[in-house]
């Protein structure tokens, strides 16, 4: 950037040669040269420079003449660019102010030295930061001298005056705001390969340039160097801010204007940067490994654990494969929510930013394998995520809007049978996880009762409809295999007060889909099916009297209450993914109480607590469970604890600002039913081997610990030996400092002790306390 | 193992007599506000306690009887120190003064006025030079001042023989190094500095902590010192080289740490900051005193008792008891159980 100063500086110093010259002294008439020189001689050397520069600073306003180009041909090579000048008139006044700052440096050089060179010396700037003050003072005082008659009071400094007040002291607060030479220079770009035109077509060219470049920000200055009546093929543009300039370089470089002209866009500051790069290549130093930020918000696993999705401002990245590399990216600005299809073939992303009327982009469905966008959707209503619900095999996906259910099919992403279903008042729907069946419910409408409908797809055949009366709300709970559907129905039956809850249990695998009802008297806190099983757990009651009940759906359809535990501290049910075991957790406000239950015989295996726990995650095998305090819910004690399914605490991992832990899902087993049966039968055989392995690794771990301690102790002892040696060497100095008294040991000066008898008054008080438990 | 305190009721208050050892901690109730620092004299027969009230207390450590008070301060007292032969006591206060007392009579011998609160103070090894640091406060910079007591004019004219300015980050804790050659200062930004007591020159500088250093205490032989920091750790350093030797990690800000004079043990006191305590139940405040092995950096015991964070801990010079002062305003003297002396790590 120093190059910019070249021509104005040269011009200005030229201007000052003539006494008074064409410069305008705002402070008063220019002093006669002789006087000026006399004063200069008396001043320090810098003074001389200052004066000269003072002239320079008053260089005529307005954009100076373009510098003579170094070479006639407009070259694309940045190195050959003629030193460009400030592209704007705007900069001139600024420069004039900034100039005095650099001037003492110039002055310090011998006069013969061209100012240009002095300026291009980088240290000049820093060195002279504080100097401009004296220059200004000088500028004010000096002109006064000659004009004054002798009998008037002179305000000028005496000859031997030495200015010892720095500008920092005088105007420190203003000084920091003073414009710098470099101001604005970051916002300038240079565009090469611009068509060379004469004055007649200049206007047109400017229009074109404006159209292309004002996309990145407001152009506040432009400069088209000319030679022989034609533009030179390169131009300078200045933006409002450096970020615009960077944007322009990023996006407009290599812009094809026409066949002959492909723009090369560079930051003005880059020219300088690349000019100064040394030809010698230095081996870059090895950088320490930097923590790689995986995601900007959170992460998600795909349903079978094939992919890990990370969230970024620009979209979603998927990671996977043997080396866990990034394997796919989906560009969706501001993405917030995602959902995988159960088959892992499609990804649905949601962003609140991108939607426009004619180009639906709020929700995008992507093909994971190709990375292609399959279809975009609007997001009109603020429904619960996921807005699109997938059928278990990923063949269909559906969404609900008021009075309609739209079912789409893959891979076409078009509406099934080209039209949506009209279902007046539809409130909620859900796919069976075990077949292409949709369950939905509609509330009462005048005389028509509320009803729950099961519909087969793609045939749209209604396989079961159940009418319900006095319904307030329904919730649909599918058992994981799709064997059962439980509809939790909140009702206000006539003649009763308050809400009654019924569980309507649909047995999906039987003909006609028989329904049984369990009536609950208390309010329901949570409901959950046993995965792969026929039991369900219900939390009911009001705090602090909460109970958990386990029910079993028998083969004959009878629903049996197996067991109820009273006085539970729980608000959430977590079944093991393999069934049988369940953890009841009192998350957040319930302080993280945990109850581990085996439902085969309904025993409470363990009761524990992870204080303020916010999350519970079973591992996919059902052997381990993790409880955690996420930073998202609680700011202290962020940690995750690992338990066995029986509730034995294995590990506590404290991690500051810990956010999220997700077990990687496992794909379905490759073993056949028979093989699994065989393994279960031979379990004893395996367990022996595993126990042995466990013992081995445990003893190894404790061995390692002892080994580690031993080395630590050795090192510490070594250090202590050194320290004590030094300590002993200083013994005499210590004695000296304490007047010869040896205080190295507590009782080493026992001879100096005086015996003193102190009497204590004993005041005995016997307080009987309740025996603590 | 270390005995866990039995909370209220057990033990006898500071006014009565406790039978030692084996009857629970002694509770000293001599302050109305939270304790800021506690310190034993060299022999360990006396325990000095200061708090955010203006009273300076001295107790018999053997039974918790109060020997007396040093009266004169008008604000919170941040720090206290006694010289090696327990003739003088030095206190620094938020009333912008540092005072020197006759230990035995309680007479105020000298008063040094400062322009801001006195945060840390201490006698050098010989007991002739005092050092104190003042807060960066009300437009005043943080300074460490050094007075030589052998020259009374220094105190009379309030002219320290040396005054070191610390413009970057204020000193939050400081102790004398061995032989009184330098002081070790811990700063608000986690830095540690050695300043020469002769020239004021900064001898060395390290930054091992990321947050404020709340406390520094030296080992009995003054070859090592331990720092307690708001960054949830305590660290062990060599006094002379400032070499970082060990780190002790917790989940809470550490307010104070002390080294056992007889074992390779360290006790840490700390807990949630006062301002956060109201929002968390005492249950998760984690206000226990925690014992770590010095070489292994492993925790082996905890002592409960305080109803708030522990602000200051100190080992008795004989290593058979330790004391803690808490945000709850109590000082507790704990005598170790026999098991403590038998306990050993498998190594």
């Amino acid at each position: 950037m120093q190059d910019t100063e070249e021509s104005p500086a040269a011009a200005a110093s030229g201007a000052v040669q003539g006494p008074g010259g064409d410069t305008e002294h705002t402070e008063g008439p220019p002093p006669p040269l002789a006087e000026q020189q006399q004063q200069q001689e008396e001043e320090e050397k810098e003074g001389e420079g200052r004066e000269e520069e003072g002239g320079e600073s008053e260089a005529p306003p307005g954009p100076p003449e373009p510098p003579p180009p170094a070479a006639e041909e407009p070259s694309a090579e940045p190195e050959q660019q003629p030193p460009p000048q400030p592209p704007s008139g705007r900069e001139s006044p600024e420069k004039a102010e900034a100039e005095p700052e650099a001037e003492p440096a110039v002055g310090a050089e011998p006069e013969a030295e061209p100012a240009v060179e002095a300026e291009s010396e980088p240290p000049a700037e820093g060195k002279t930061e504080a100097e401009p003050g004296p220059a200004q003072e000088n500028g004010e005082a000096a002109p006064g001298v000659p004009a004054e008659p002798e009998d008037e009071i002179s305000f000028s400094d005496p000859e031997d005056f030495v200015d010892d007040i720095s500008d920092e002291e005088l105007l420190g607060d203003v000084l920091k705001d003073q414009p710098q030479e470099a101001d604005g220079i970051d916002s300038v770009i240079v565009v090469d390969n611009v068509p060379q035109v004469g004055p007649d077509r200049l206007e047109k060219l400017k229009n074109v340039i404006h159209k292309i470049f004002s996309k990145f920000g407001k152009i506040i200055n432009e400069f088209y160097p000319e030679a022989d009546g034609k533009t030179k093929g390169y131009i300078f543009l200045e933006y409002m801010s450096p970020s615009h300039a960077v944007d322009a370089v990023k996006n407009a470089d290599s812009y094809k204007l026409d066949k002959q002209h492909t723009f090369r866009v560079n930051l003005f500051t880059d020219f300088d940067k690349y000019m100064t790069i040394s030809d010698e290549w230095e081996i870059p130093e090895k950088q320490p490994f930097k923590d790689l930020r995986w995601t900007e918000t959170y992460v998600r696993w795909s349903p079978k654990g094939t992919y890990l999705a990370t969230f970024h401002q620009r979209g979603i990245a998927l990671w996977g494969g043997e080396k866990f590399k990034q394997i796919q990216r989906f560009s969706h600005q501001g993405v917030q929510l995602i959902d995988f299809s159960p088959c892992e073939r499609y990804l649905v992303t949601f962003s609140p930013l991108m939607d426009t009327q004619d180009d639906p982009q709020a929700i995008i469905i992507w093909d994971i394998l190709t990375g292609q966008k399959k279809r975009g959707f609007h997001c009109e209503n603020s429904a619960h995520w996921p807005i699109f619900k997938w059928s278990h095999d990923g063949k269909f996906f559906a969404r609900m809007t008021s009075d309609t259910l739209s079912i789409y099919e893959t891979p076409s992403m078009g509406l099934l049978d080209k039209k949506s279903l009209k279902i007046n008042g539809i409130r909620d729907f859900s796919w069976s996880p075990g077949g292409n069946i949709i369950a939905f419910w509609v509330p009462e409408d005048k005389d028509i009762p509320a009803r729950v409908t099961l519909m087969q797809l793609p045939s749209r055949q209604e396989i079961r409809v159940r009418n319900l009366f006095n319904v307030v709300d329904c919730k649909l709970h599918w058992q994981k295999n799709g064997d059962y559907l439980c509809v939790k129905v909140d009702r206000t039956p006539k003649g009763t007060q308050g809400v009654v809850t019924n569980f309507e249990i649909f047995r999906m695998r039987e003909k006609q889909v028989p329904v049984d009802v369990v009536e609950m008297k208390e309010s329901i806190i949570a409901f959950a099916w046993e995965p792969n099983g026929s039991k369900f757990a219900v939390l009911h009651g009001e705090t602090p009297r909460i109970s958990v009940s386990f029910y079993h759906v028998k083969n004959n359809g009878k629903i049996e209450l197996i067991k109820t535990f009273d006085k539970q501290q729980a608000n959430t049910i977590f079944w093991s993914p393999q069934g049988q075991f369940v953890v009841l957790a009192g998350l957040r406000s319930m302080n993280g109480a945990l109850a581990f239950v085996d439902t085969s015989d309904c025993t409470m295996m363990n009761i524990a607590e992870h204080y303020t726990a916010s999350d519970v995650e079973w591992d996919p095998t059902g052997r381990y469970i993790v409880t955690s305090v996420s930073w998202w819910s609680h700011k202290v004690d962020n940690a995750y604890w690992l338990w066995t399914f029986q509730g034995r605490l294995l590990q506590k991992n404290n991690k500051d600002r810990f956010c999220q832990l997700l077990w990687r899902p496992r794909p379905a087993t490759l073993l056949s039913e028979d093989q699994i049966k065989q393994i279960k039968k031979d379990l004893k055989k395996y367990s022996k081997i595993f126990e042995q392995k466990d013992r081995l690794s445990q003893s190894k771990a404790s061995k390692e610990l002892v080994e580690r301690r031993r080395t630590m102790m050795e090192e510490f002892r070594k250090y202590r030996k050194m320290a004590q040696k030094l300590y002993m060497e200083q013994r005499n100095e210590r004695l000296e400092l304490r007047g010869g008294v040896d205080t190295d040991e507590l009782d080493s000066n026992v001879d100096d002790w005086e015996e003193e008898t102190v009497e204590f008054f004993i005041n005995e008080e016997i307080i009987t306390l309740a025996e603590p438990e | 193992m270390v005995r866990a305190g039995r909370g209220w009721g057990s033990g006898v208050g500071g006014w009565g007599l406790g039978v030692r050892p084996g009857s629970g901690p002694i509770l000293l109730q001599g302050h109305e506000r939270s304790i800021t620092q506690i310190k034993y004299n060299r022999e360990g027969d006396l325990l000095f306690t200061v708090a955010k009230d203006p009273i300076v207390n001295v107790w018999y450590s053997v039974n918790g009887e109060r020997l007396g008070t040093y009266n004169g301060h008008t604000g919170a007292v941040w720090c206290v120190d006694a010289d090696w032969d327990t003739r003088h006591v030095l206190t620094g206060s938020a009333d912008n003064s540092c005072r020197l007392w006759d230990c035995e009579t309680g007479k105020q011998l000298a008063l040094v006025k400062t322009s801001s609160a006195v945060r840390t103070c201490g006698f050098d090894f010989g007991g002739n030079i005092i050092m104190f640091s003042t807060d960066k406060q009300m437009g005043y910079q943080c300074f460490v001042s050094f007075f030589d007591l052998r020259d009374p004019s220094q105190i009379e004219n309030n002219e320290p023989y040396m005054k070191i300015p610390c413009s970057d980050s204020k000193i939050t804790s400081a102790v004398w190094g061995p032989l009184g050659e330098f002081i070790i200062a811990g700063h608000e930004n986690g830095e540690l500095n050695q300043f020469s007591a002769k020239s004021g020159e900064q001898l060395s500088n390290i930054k091992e902590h990321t947050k404020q250093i709340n406390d520094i205490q030296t080992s009995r032989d003054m070859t090592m010192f331990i720092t307690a920091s708001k960054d949830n750790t305590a660290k062990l350093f060599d006094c002379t080289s400032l070499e970082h030797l060990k780190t002790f990690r917790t989940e809470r800000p550490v307010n104070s740490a002390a080294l056992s004079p007889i074992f390779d043990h360290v006790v840490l006191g700390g807990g949630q900051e006062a301002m956060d305590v109201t929002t968390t139940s005492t249950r998760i405040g984690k206000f226990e005193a925690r014992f770590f092995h010095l070489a292994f950096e492993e925790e082996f015991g905890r002592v409960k008792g305080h109803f708030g964070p522990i602000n200051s801990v100190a080992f008795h010079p004989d290593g058979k008891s330790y004391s803690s002062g808490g945000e709850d305003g109590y000082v507790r003297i704990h005598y170790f159980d026999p098991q403590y002396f038998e306990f050993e790590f498998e190594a």
Side-chain angles (χ1 to χ4, degrees), chain B residues 137-169:
Chain B
Q137 203 178 40
M138 298 177 292
Y140 291 100
Q141 227 183 322
C142 166
F143 282 102
V144 201
S145 306
F146 293 82
F147 290 87
D148 193 329
L149 299 178
R150 291 165 294 197
D151 175 7
S153 67
Q154 289 189 7
I155 289 200
E156 269 163 41
N157 308 328
N158 198 354
E159 275 175 1
Y161 76 83
M162 193 167 62
K163 203 169 174 184
I164 310 170
C166 295
S167 46
D168 310 345
S169 179

Side-chain angles (χ1 to χ4, degrees), chain A residues 65-262:
Chain A
E65 276 302 296
E72 278 305 308
E73 73 282 351
S75 65
E77 291 298 311
E79 292 84 53
Q80 286 178 26
Q81 276 293 334
Q85 54 164 104
S88 65
R90 185 189 75 96
E91 238 202 338
S92 275
E94 202 175 87
K95 221 169 62 63
E97 274 177 272
E99 211 71 325
E101 187 191 280
E103 73 191 43
V106 179
E109 300 287 332
E111 252 196 279
E113 186 105 25
V116 187
E117 273 189 42
E119 277 200 41
S120 57
E121 273 181 22
E125 261 187 62
K127 193 163 78 189
T128 57
E129 282 282 33
E131 301 285 88
Q136 281 161 13
E137 257 169 48
N138 182 26
E140 268 176 64
V145 179
E148 278 161 355
E150 288 200 357
D151 51 329
E152 271 180 44
I153 310 153
S154 166
F155 288 102
S156 57
D157 297 325
E159 288 180 5
D160 53 351
F161 173 76
V162 181
D163 190 356
D164 57 354
I165 307 169
S166 79
D167 286 0
E168 279 298 312
E169 285 173 64
L170 274 176
L171 45 139
D173 48 338
V174 197
L175 213 56
K176 65 174 190 292
D177 295 331
Q178 90 172 331
Q180 302 293 311
E181 273 182 72
D183 282 357
I185 213 124
D186 295 344
S187 316
V188 180
I189 58 167
V190 184
V191 185
D192 282 297
N193 295 346
V194 178
Q196 288 174 270
V197 295
D200 45 329
R201 290 174 60 211
L202 184 58
E203 216 34 57
K204 202 175 165 203
L205 175 67
K206 283 186 176 180
N207 279 339
V208 172
I209 293 289
H210 252 273
K211 206 170 166 192
I212 297 165
F213 285 94
S214 51
K215 275 191 288 197
F216 312 110
K218 199 178 163 206
I219 297 168
I220 54 171
N221 262 306
E222 50 181 21
F223 179 66
Y224 294 73
E226 283 170 43
D228 308 330
K230 277 182 102 182
T231 59
K232 283 186 169 173
Y234 55 86
I235 58 166
F236 303 96
L237 301 172
E238 183 181 3
Y239 284 105
M240 282 291 281
S241 90
S243 65
H244 298 158
V246 172
D247 243 19
V249 170
K250 209 188 271 171
N251 294 303
D253 191 29
S254 312
Y255 179 92
K256 251 194 156 84
L257 185 67
D258 53 38
K259 262 195 190 138
Q260 278 86 42
H261 299 96
T262 304

Side-chain angles (χ1 to χ4, degrees), chain A residues 12-31:
Chain A
S13 44
V16 115
Q17 307 285 301
D22 46 27
T23 61
E24 298 161 19
H25 264 281
T26 44
E27 293 91 353

Side-chain angles (χ1 to χ4, degrees), chain B residues 19 25 58 72 82-83 86 111 173 187 194 228 235 257 285 308 314 320 328 340:
Chain B
V19 188
V58 57
D83 60 1
T86 327
L111 187 155
S173 184
H187 295 254
Q194 271 179 352
K235 295 189 178 192
K320 290 173 187 162
D328 59 6
Y340 170 80

Side-chain angles (χ1 to χ4, degrees), chain A residues 528-766:
Chain A
W529 279 105
E530 173 187 26
N532 312 321
S534 51
K535 289 196 276 275
F536 61 86
V538 186
L539 279 172
H540 51 94
E542 304 277 347
T543 20
R545 227 168 292 155
I546 293 171
S547 309
V548 63
S549 294
F550 297 98
Y551 290 87
H552 182 217
V553 185
K554 290 188 151 177
N555 284 338
N556 60 10
K558 256 189 89 180
I559 296 164
E560 186 188 52
L561 173 67
I562 318 171
K563 178 100 182 174
T564 298
F565 291 106
D566 293 335
K567 288 188 198 153
Q568 292 300 300
Q569 257 210 321
N571 49 23
T572 334
I573 303 163
F574 295 96
W575 279 95
S576 153
Q578 305 300 324
Q580 185 177 348
F581 302 103
V582 66
V583 169
L584 308 168
L587 298 182
R588 294 184 178 87
S589 57
M590 283 188 167
N591 293 346
L594 305 166
F596 296 79
V597 183
D598 179 354
T599 60
S600 67
D601 51 1
C602 272
T603 47
M604 191 67 83
M605 295 183 294
N606 197 13
I607 291 173
E609 181 189 81
H610 183 176
Y611 196 68
T612 64
S614 57
D615 298 277
V616 173
E617 285 280 334
W618 276 96
D619 105 291
T621 66
R623 288 181 295 180
Y624 303 106
I625 186 163
V626 160
T627 60
S628 54
V629 181
S630 166
W631 189 72
W632 292 328
S633 81
H634 208 97
K635 300 297 176 221
V636 292
D637 286 322
N638 300 131
Y640 62 92
W641 293 5
L642 184 70
W643 312 73
T644 65
F645 68 98
Q646 297 140 312
R648 189 159 55 87
L649 184 59
L650 297 174
Q651 275 186 36
K652 290 183 182 181
N653 291 291
N654 294 321
K655 242 186 178 55
D656 210 24
R657 292 166 70 104
F658 164 86
C659 289
Q660 186 189 23
L661 182 144
L662 296 172
W663 292 92
R664 185 181 188 179
R666 295 190 172 191
T669 176
L670 298 174
L671 298 171
S672 68
E673 293 259 324
D674 289 340
Q675 283 171 305
I676 293 173
K677 234 178 217 165
Q678 192 61 41
I679 289 169
K680 277 187 176 165
K681 216 174 108 191
D682 298 341
L683 209 57
K684 272 205 179 125
K685 194 175 80 192
Y686 298 119
S687 68
K688 258 187 198 147
I689 303 169
F690 286 133
E691 264 167 35
Q692 209 174 354
K693 275 190 179 170
D694 278 356
R695 260 201 304 277
L696 216 73
S697 71
Q698 255 169 18
S699 76
K700 198 177 149 201
S702 76
K703 220 188 222 161
E704 271 169 16
L705 178 74
V706 169
E707 194 53 45
R708 202 168 53 103
R709 281 183 184 159
R710 202 166 286 158
T711 46
M712 281 178 114
M713 199 60 190
E714 258 166 42
E715 268 172 44
F716 190 67
R717 288 234 171 90
K718 221 188 278 168
Y719 160 74
R720 287 302 297 157
K721 230 180 194 169
M722 251 172 46
Q724 266 152 4
K725 199 177 146 222
L726 188 75
Y727 180 68
M728 291 320 289
E729 282 167 10
Q730 291 172 340
R731 184 177 156 80
N732 286 336
E733 288 165 68
R734 275 198 301 279
L735 281 173
E736 198 180 319
L737 278 168
R738 287 189 173 170
V741 182
D742 181 5
T743 53
D744 282 3
E745 297 299 328
L746 250 191
D747 50 1
S748 48
N749 60 336
V750 74
D751 302 338
D752 307 335
W753 286 5
E754 292 169 32
E755 193 166 322
E756 190 182 339
T757 315
V758 184
E759 270 181 52
F760 296 120
F761 295 102
I762 297 175
N763 181 9
E764 192 178 2
E765 198 180 340
I766 298 170

